[in-house]
Amino acid sequence: MSNLRFKAVEEAFKKKAIEVSAPSKFISDFYGKYVFSTTTMSKYLSKDVMKAIKNAIEKGETLNRSIADDVAAGMKMWAMELGATHYTHWFQPLTDGTAQKHDSFIDYANGPGENIIEEFSGKLLAQQEPDASSFPSGGIRSTFEARGYTAWDPSSPAFVMDDTLCIPTIFISYTGEALDLKAPLLKALNAVDKAATAVCHYFDPEVKKVYSYLGWEQEYFLVDEGLFATRPDLVLTGRTLLGHESAKNQQLEDHYFGSIPTRVMSYMKDLEFEGYKYGIPLKTRHNEVAPNQFELAPIFNETNLAVDQNLLIMSIMKKVARRHGFRLLLHEKPFAGINGSGKHNNWSLGTDTGVGLLTPGKTPAENLQFITFLVNILVAVYKYNALLKASIMTAQNAHRLGANEAPPAIVSAFLGTQVSAILDKLEKSSSEEAIVLDSKKKLSLGISHIPEVLLDNTDRNRTSPFAFTGNRFEFRAVGSSANCSSGMTALNAAVAAQLIEFKDSVDKKINAGSSKEKAIFEVIKEYIKISKPIRFDGNNYSEEWKIEAEKRGLDCETSVPIIYNAYTTKESIALFQSTGILSEKELHARNEVKWETYTKKIQIEARVLGDLAINHIIPIATRYQSLLLDNLSKINAIYPKEKAAELAALDASLVEEIAKHISTIKKNVDQMIEARKVANKIEDAYEKALAYHDDVLPYFDTIRYHTDKLELIVDDEIWTLPKYRELLFIR
Ligand code: ADP
Ligand code: MG
């Protein structure tokens, strides 16, 4: 057993859980220790400065230079007490994850000389210029004018990571275009706040702000790091491009909610302690459906904060995994044949008066408000179903969607029987039946009573990409490695635009003499009709649904590069422009980046697959084939002809089978390389991505099929790549 695979397996089996102990008995003792939260701030900043920050966060007021200087001074003092020597603007470029450029606090005290001081001014807090030329911008910023800058987002708190003070920022070009995912998200949140607040005023004039809330559920895989290291595909692409299914995988359903393996448990505890230090309210942990797959979820938060916390925890997860001898896989589909990973986005809207706008209320007025928001959301999801799909689509997520484990690549909304019945009834009633005023002219609803608690677990549809779950919608199509900003921007933007349109229609009716309730009811009734095609409570995995969805006019496109076109339709451009979230130029530029990213991902995978096939699989198969041939010739030498033929029959047929697989693999790898060469010559980003999707990607399955067949034939002792049974069951 000299091969690396066996060494790695041996080592992996020896590993034990490491002891992890909490920094203190009570979580609340160390919760948020590394975050410059409002409470912490108040110890370092004056009352006036605190007030200015509060206004900046809540009302979006700008902070002047002297306030920024005061905040920076307080922040620096706090960070240095925690051991920080550097600071960075922490931003979210259009690639995956976050980016940062660390600068030390040091500066000359009085110009070049011996004396050094630690300096952090309001200017440095507010703005930083990373060398922006190497971040994708879709041609907005060509390299010679490579100036973009990051600007502080006071609504997300700064934090200390290792020795560095990290300041959440947006990233924009000098001409004002967004080069990141946070800037448009903040604008979308602002748009939905404005539009929803205006609609709330029909019901409660006291509402001053509407928050968008997000509770994400992060799924992930853990793989032993020794095994990981011997799989070039995992190292370079985050997923296995080859590997035959394990005899046992998830068919016994014994992993989901099962007892958590001890080594993983100790990882989870460690991860939670770290998360708590960063003020991330981690609440739920459990095994997921696939072997070695797990989930982590916090309590929901305001969307901008929740997104930042998710990005932060993804990077903490990676670090902590290594401490425990694991590698974290956030890829949407690391293993074929078993479930992939998603990141359900639980989303709702709520007022500053504490009312959940997707929570059925106690009074008829509250219920009319609930129905108003619900129906507007349905219309938004209906109109922009293609856009919502585009917002969560990536090369990785394409493997997961439609794989009979996750929603298909068609967006529909699930409401459940109770809510559906209410909408059906409303649709059929006249306004006189639905809106009843009692003797004191108080509103009453003529529809059946809406139960306050709709959280009925039996009435859940796990196959729906956008499901109502009692007080929120669960956007399930989001991928595990995604930055939630993308989906959240599209969703909040669509809902904002829809609410604006709704208010216009209602106001028109009121101005024409209708009562407010009647006007609202009439528009809602119309909306229930319009949005019907998006409602689907059946099995989203079924073939019939695909046919039905097509008939209903929902977007059924499955090619990733084509799906992105939904961002630049006339309707989408109008949506983003009218809400001030993204300009047409920005939308086009961002699509360029998406196509480039798609091409690069497939290109890297194709290269790795080619390498593995030619440098690992074929040589091993040939070695085994030559062992068989050796045996064959020995049999022929020893036994008489007829006896020899009988004894060597199996060897002879295996030799031929191997030869067939090898030649098919070689032929397909060669053709794939040729297809790549052709695609690489294409200049246009869209055409190139299409070529990678249409002409390069299709080789993957064929090559894999034959290498996986070889895995079943070749002697286990000489197979070098860890097998699925090892990657998935050693923990
Ligand atoms: P599930 O049963 O779907 O796994 P959980 O109860 O674990 O759901 O909750 C999933 C996420 O939904 C959590 O982050 C939770 O805080 C969040 N959540 C609950 N209520 C809301 C709400 N009103 N708005 C947004 N997110 C919410
Ligand atoms: Mg859920």
Side-chain angles (χ1 to χ4, degrees):
M1 284 208 198
S2 63
N3 108 27
L4 276 178
R5 168 177 157 233
F6 285 102
K7 277 200 193 123
V9 169
E10 228 167 35
E11 290 294 316
F13 267 121
K14 274 193 233 151
K15 282 183 191 153
K16 294 222 163 57
I18 63 167
E19 287 283 328
V20 179
S21 49
S24 163
K25 231 184 192 163
F26 302 103
I27 293 171
S28 50
D29 286 349
F30 59 99
Y31 187 82
K33 182 179 170 200
Y34 291 111
V35 182
F36 201 52
S37 63
T38 323
T39 323
T40 308
M41 254 184 231
S42 62
K43 293 182 197 144
Y44 292 83
L45 305 177
S46 71
K47 277 204 180 104
D48 286 347
V49 174
M50 286 297 294
K51 201 168 155 211
I53 295 225
K54 193 164 176 266
N55 286 341
I57 297 173
E58 282 170 15
K59 300 186 192 141
E61 285 177 11
T62 41
L63 288 168
N64 68 33
R65 179 64 193 275
S66 101
I67 298 278
D69 278 337
D70 288 346
V71 178
M75 218 184 244
K76 182 187 79 175
M77 197 191 293
W78 165 77
M80 285 177 61
E81 281 168 13
L82 288 170
T85 52
H86 289 63
Y87 70 93
T88 184
H89 278 196
W90 186 77
F91 62 103
Q92 304 167 23
L94 299 173
T95 46
D96 299 335
T98 56
Q100 44 200 287
K101 169 193 157 220
H102 297 189
D103 281 317
S104 155
F105 286 132
I106 62 160
D107 204 352
Y108 287 127
N110 309 297
E114 292 167 8
N115 293 335
I116 290 288
I117 51 163
E118 270 113 351
E119 169 78 1
F120 186 55
S121 64
K123 185 165 170 279
L124 298 176
L125 164 66
Q127 197 167 316
Q128 193 182 33
E129 268 184 61
D131 175 12
S133 58
S134 346
F135 293 103
S137 67
I140 279 181
R141 196 178 17 60
S142 48
T143 357
F144 54 87
E145 40 150 344
R147 287 181 7 130
Y149 66 94
T150 51
W152 177 34
D153 164 21
S155 63
S156 183
F159 56 91
V160 168
M161 170 125 325
D162 299 325
D163 62 355
T164 305
L165 167 65
C166 302
I167 298 142
T169 53
I170 55 169
F171 180 36
I172 40 187
S173 77
Y174 264 88
T175 40
E177 286 94 1
L179 298 173
D180 70 345
L181 292 164
K182 194 194 238 303
L185 175 70
L186 290 175
K187 288 179 180 166
L189 295 176
N190 187 35
V192 85
D193 164 21
K194 293 251 151 57
T197 302
V199 170
C200 282
H201 286 167
Y202 287 136
F203 308 96
D204 178 3
E206 293 302 308
V207 172
K208 290 192 183 60
K209 191 173 170 72
V210 169
Y211 294 95
S212 159
Y213 291 116
L214 166 64
W216 40 263
E217 301 166 54
Q218 179 72 55
E219 294 181 343
Y220 61 96
F221 279 87
L222 288 173
V223 169
D224 182 85
E225 70 178 351
L227 297 168
F228 173 91
T230 57
R231 292 280 315 211
D233 47 358
L234 279 181
V235 174
L236 297 179
T237 73
R239 73 172 178 120
T240 55
L241 298 167
L242 307 171
H244 196 277
E245 253 185 70
S246 160
K248 171 182 191 286
N249 47 45
Q250 65 188 39
Q251 63 275 62
L252 293 177
E253 292 169 6
D254 50 354
H255 189 63
Y256 191 52
F257 284 5
S259 76
I260 299 168
T262 46
R263 215 176 125 201
V264 175
M265 188 63 199
S266 110
Y267 161 77
M268 285 180 172
K269 277 191 201 161
D270 203 358
L271 173 61
E272 283 169 2
F273 296 147
E274 288 301 319
Y276 292 148
K277 289 183 202 161
Y278 287 93
I280 305 172
L282 300 172
K283 177 99 175 156
T284 310
R285 60 183 179 209
H286 62 80
N287 288 358
E288 257 305 323
V289 173
N292 269 4
Q293 190 188 27
F294 308 94
E295 182 184 299
L296 169 79
I299 309 173
F300 68 95
N301 215 328
E302 183 279 314
T303 297
N304 177 39
L305 285 183
V307 168
D308 285 358
Q309 291 183 337
N310 180 243
L311 289 166
L312 189 53
I313 204 74
M314 289 199 283
S315 72
I316 296 175
M317 286 167 89
K318 279 186 202 141
K319 276 191 209 164
V320 176
R322 300 208 59 184
R323 242 181 357 235
H324 293 259
F326 286 124
R327 282 299 187 125
L328 175 79
L329 304 182
L330 287 176
H331 194 288
E332 280 75 358
K333 191 78 179 175
F335 302 99
I338 55 171
N339 277 19
S341 302
K343 180 151 53 196
H344 295 176
N345 276 203
N346 293 269
W347 169 86
S348 70
L349 296 172
T351 67
D352 60 342
T353 54
V355 174
L357 295 170
L358 295 181
T359 310
K362 294 187 183 70
T363 64
E366 280 173 3
N367 276 332
L368 186 59
Q369 173 167 292
F370 161 70
I371 298 284
T372 297
F373 279 91
L374 186 88
V375 171
N376 270 287
I377 291 164
L378 288 179
V379 177
V381 174
Y382 172 53
K383 280 193 200 159
Y384 299 103
N385 72 86
L387 176 68
L388 287 171
K389 183 167 82 186
S391 76
I392 52 88
M393 192 47 85
T394 58
Q396 311 91 275
N397 210 13
H399 294 287
R400 172 180 161 258
L401 298 181
N404 266 12
E405 54 171 59
I410 302 166
V411 171
S412 67
F414 166 86
L415 292 180
T417 42
Q418 287 169 306
V419 179
S420 295
I422 293 163
L423 296 195
D424 292 345
K425 176 124 196 247
L426 272 178
E427 190 193 346
K428 288 186 202 98
S429 22
S430 69
S431 60
E432 284 69 33
E433 285 171 309
I435 309 290
V436 188
L437 294 179
D438 67 16
S439 56
K440 288 185 200 129
K441 291 227 160 178
K442 282 187 112 182
L443 171 77
S444 153
L445 280 185
I447 51 171
S448 56
H449 178 68
I450 303 175
E452 250 177 72
V453 182
L454 286 169
L455 283 164
D456 177 1
N457 272 309
T458 57
D459 194 23
R460 281 201 174 190
N461 184 329
R462 300 260 163 216
T463 69
S464 175
F466 195 74
F468 182 66
T469 49
N471 61 354
R472 62 188 186 269
F473 274 98
E474 196 169 327
F475 191 13
R476 299 213 183 97
V478 184
S480 50
S481 71
N483 180 328
C484 304
S485 290
S486 181
M488 283 294 112
T489 300
L491 178 60
N492 285 290
V495 171
Q498 182 49 45
L499 289 169
I500 292 169
E501 201 178 307
F502 169 77
K503 186 158 187 304
D504 267 2
S505 307
V506 172
D507 285 351
K508 269 198 196 107
K509 285 185 190 289
I510 295 175
N511 290 338
S514 167
S515 79
K516 183 178 77 183
E517 287 77 17
K518 190 160 183 265
I520 292 174
F521 172 76
E522 280 174 8
V523 179
I524 285 179
K525 201 172 140 168
E526 179 64 26
Y527 279 8
I528 293 175
K529 279 204 190 79
I530 297 176
S531 62
K532 256 195 171 157
I534 201 72
R535 281 162 58 189
F536 181 62
D537 284 7
N539 179 7
N540 284 258
Y541 298 167
S542 70
E543 282 306 310
E544 298 86 78
W545 169 234
K546 285 185 196 155
I547 298 161
E548 167 71 17
E550 187 101 47
K551 273 195 215 140
R552 293 190 188 185
L554 300 179
D555 186 89
C556 298
E557 182 58 56
T558 57
S559 163
V560 178
I562 298 177
I563 286 171
Y564 292 146
N565 288 330
Y567 270 105
T568 49
T569 58
K570 210 168 84 243
E571 294 78 18
S572 295
I573 291 171
L575 161 70
F576 286 113
Q577 260 175 355
S578 68
T579 45
I581 295 167
L582 287 164
S583 68
E584 183 171 356
K585 182 177 170 194
E586 287 170 301
L587 288 167
H588 283 291
R590 294 163 93 87
N591 263 5
E592 294 274 309
V593 175
K594 289 192 209 308
W595 289 317
E596 276 168 21
T597 307
Y598 180 82
T599 295
K600 285 178 192 159
K601 293 231 155 133
I602 306 296
Q603 186 179 49
I604 292 168
E605 289 192 344
R607 286 177 180 161
V608 174
L609 182 59
D611 278 357
L612 283 175
I614 304 298
N615 301 329
H616 287 243
I617 308 299
I618 293 184
I620 296 161
T622 313
R623 210 186 311 163
Y624 184 54
Q625 196 183 33
S626 112
L627 279 175
L628 294 169
L629 284 169
D630 196 32
N631 195 35
L632 262 176
S633 68
K634 282 175 185 158
I635 291 175
N636 281 326
I638 293 169
Y639 292 98
K641 210 170 167 205
E642 248 165 54
K643 184 74 181 163
E646 185 196 326
L647 287 176
L650 176 65
D651 289 359
S653 81
L654 281 178
V655 165
E656 274 176 40
E657 217 177 302
I658 291 172
K660 259 189 235 149
H661 289 307
I662 289 178
S663 76
T664 317
I665 292 169
K666 178 74 172 73
K667 193 178 87 206
N668 278 280
V669 170
D670 288 346
Q671 287 173 358
M672 178 174 75
I673 293 171
E674 279 314 306
R676 233 158 58 208
K677 280 187 190 154
V678 174
N680 289 345
K681 290 210 183 79
I682 302 173
E683 291 274 327
D684 183 79
Y686 177 53
E687 296 296 331
K688 194 171 184 167
L690 280 180
Y692 265 90
H693 177 273
D694 298 346
D695 307 332
V696 178
L697 190 61
Y699 286 104
F700 287 24
D701 281 348
T702 319
I703 296 169
R704 178 175 194 144
Y705 175 82
H706 292 279
T707 57
D708 289 359
K709 284 282 175 217
L710 284 173
E711 187 185 319
L712 293 183
I713 298 173
V714 172
D715 178 8
D716 187 59
E717 289 233 9
I718 62 173
W719 195 260
T720 53
L721 298 172
K723 298 186 171 179
Y724 268 29
R725 61 168 188 260
E726 291 148 357
L727 294 168
L728 289 169
F729 289 93
I730 300 179
R731 50 181 83 117

